[in-house]
Amino acid sequence: NISQTLKEFELLPMGFENMQEYKMLLYAWSQFDPLAAIDYCKDRASGIGAGFATAGVLEGWANLDPESAREWVEDPKNSGMAKIYNFGLVRGWVNRDLEGATDYVMGLEGGEEVGKLVGILTEKHNREGGFSQASSWADTLPNAKLKEGAFMNLSRSFARDRPEDVAGWLESHPNEKYSDKAFENLGKRWSETDPERAIDYFSNLPDGKSQEVGIKSSISNWAKQDPLAAGEWLNGREPGSQLDSALAAYASTVATKDGGAAMEWAISITDEKLQQTTIRKVGQDWYRQDKESVEAWLPDSGLSEGEQKSIRTPPKKNWWQSLSK
């Protein structure tokens, strides 16, 4: 009854608003005539839109016959959108044959998109055996690019609800490029519910990037919840470049409520470039709150004429930024 079904879709635009309806149509169609479904996608849409629609067909096709779907994707005439097609191919393939889908992804050459495909594999391991299986599998991946995709996926999935599990796992991977985003995600999510526990964990990591990004991502949430406690914690740390990003994050957060207090923190940043950027941002927030105090402070601030001018002319806030006040 495909002809009758398609008549019902003639007046339904192939766009985001009807994505779920088309996803069901294309998946079902792929089970008996995927090539016709792909031709339909190309007739109804063009460019990236047709590419994403075709990826929906490939997901269903690969779930039924992954080798045939793979051969279609690897045909040179389809190479232009192979990166998009691969997402549909791998999503369907993992449900049929996780090992085969894994071998396919491991054999791909590419950049960021390959890391995202690894995220699909990670999701499947998670569904099959939970965090324990997925994290153990991620540890075995052969190179940093593949590990990065898996680590990012797992940190996004578990950092808020199971932060201790993620933290225990990541302890074996500090200061690795592939784990940077995972530590950052852990800091952001854990600090939403328990900022003091989160920042204590990061403080005890070895010095380096993982500690720095974790403290930075944790301090902003702590500053929103309890700026006094977060400020006292920062006061108790040794000043230096390792703390600069946390100081900038704290100052920027506090500045939305108290620009004058935030400026003292901004000035304490040791990295000159980061200090200047933070002073400008904090100064603009302060100027919006208390123009007279800023005008009294600026002449003796040591800032250049250009820097003073940028503080005196803060950009207009977007409506969503205004809601934070």
Side-chain angles (χ1 to χ4, degrees):
N1 64 345
I2 185 64
S3 298
Q4 181 180 352
T5 302
L6 293 180
K7 288 182 180 179
E8 301 298 324
F9 278 82
E10 286 179 359
L11 299 178
L12 201 64
M14 183 181 274
F16 180 80
E17 67 276 13
N18 301 311
M19 179 178 63
Q20 292 302 321
E21 288 83 357
Y22 274 98
K23 183 176 181 179
M24 289 188 288
L25 168 68
L26 297 173
Y27 191 97
W29 199 351
S30 71
Q31 302 302 286
F32 62 91
D33 196 349
L35 295 178
I38 290 173
D39 288 339
Y40 176 79
C41 293
K42 294 177 179 179
D43 287 339
R44 291 295 307 273
S46 60
I48 293 178
F52 280 114
T54 300
V57 178
L58 285 161
E59 181 176 348
W61 191 3
N63 192 39
L64 181 70
D65 184 359
E67 286 302 322
S68 295
R70 177 188 62 79
E71 290 176 6
W72 187 90
V73 172
E74 291 182 341
D75 189 318
K77 68 182 181 183
N78 300 318
S79 62
M81 291 196 180
K83 291 181 180 179
I84 294 176
Y85 296 154
N86 272 328
F87 284 95
L89 174 65
V90 174
R91 284 196 181 279
W93 202 341
V94 294
N95 294 320
R96 179 79 175 188
D97 176 13
L98 176 56
E99 184 177 351
T102 300
D103 290 342
Y104 176 75
V105 173
M106 297 303 165
L108 291 174
E109 294 182 2
E112 184 179 350
E113 75 280 356
V114 176
K116 291 180 179 179
L117 292 174
V118 171
I120 297 173
L121 303 175
T122 311
E123 289 172 4
K124 179 62 174 178
H125 281 284
N126 180 26
R127 292 196 298 271
E128 286 191 348
F131 178 77
S132 177
Q133 176 177 317
S135 58
S136 296
W137 174 78
D139 286 340
T140 68
L141 290 170
N143 64 60
K145 179 55 66 176
L146 300 176
K147 280 181 179 288
E148 183 178 10
F151 277 52
M152 284 180 60
N153 180 279
L154 283 170
S155 62
R156 283 197 303 262
S157 299
F158 291 101
R160 180 177 174 83
D161 296 328
R162 296 175 59 179
E164 290 87 357
D165 291 337
V166 177
W169 169 55
L170 288 178
E171 275 184 348
S172 301
H173 304 274
N175 302 324
E176 299 286 355
K177 186 175 181 181
Y178 62 76
S179 64
D180 284 350
K181 285 292 184 182
F183 277 106
E184 184 178 350
N185 287 337
L186 176 62
K188 287 179 179 177
R189 297 293 171 250
W190 198 356
S191 62
E192 288 174 354
T193 57
D194 195 345
E196 293 182 69
R197 183 91 176 270
I199 211 159
D200 182 63
Y201 164 80
F202 288 110
S203 299
N204 288 298
L205 288 177
D207 289 348
K209 186 70 171 179
S210 298
Q211 183 185 78
E212 182 181 351
V213 299
I215 290 177
K216 174 188 175 183
S217 55
S218 299
I219 201 73
S220 292
N221 279 328
W222 197 8
K224 291 174 186 176
Q225 298 175 28
D226 190 344
L228 181 60
E232 289 176 349
W233 183 90
L234 285 171
N235 264 330
R237 302 285 293 183
E238 278 294 321
S241 59
Q242 189 72 12
L243 199 63
D244 279 346
S245 60
L247 290 170
Y250 180 81
S252 297
T253 302
V254 172
T256 62
K257 303 294 184 183
D258 188 346
M263 184 59 74
E264 296 181 21
W265 292 98
I267 292 171
S268 70
I269 296 170
T270 62
D271 180 85
E272 184 177 354
K273 185 175 180 181
L274 181 60
Q275 183 195 59
Q276 290 175 351
T277 301
T278 308
I279 285 175
R280 182 174 63 252
K281 182 181 183 304
V282 168
Q284 289 172 344
D285 279 332
W286 188 14
Y287 197 82
R288 295 185 187 101
Q289 299 160 12
D290 188 354
K291 177 180 176 180
E292 289 75 17
S293 294
V294 178
E295 289 292 355
W297 171 80
L298 278 174
D300 298 321
S301 65
L303 299 179
S304 68
E305 287 298 322
E307 290 167 335
Q308 292 186 39
K309 182 179 180 180
S310 69
I311 289 176
R312 290 188 173 101
T313 55
K316 186 176 181 180
K317 282 195 171 187
N318 295 322
W319 67 270
W320 58 269
Q321 291 174 315
S322 302
L323 294 177
S324 64
K325 285 200 164 187

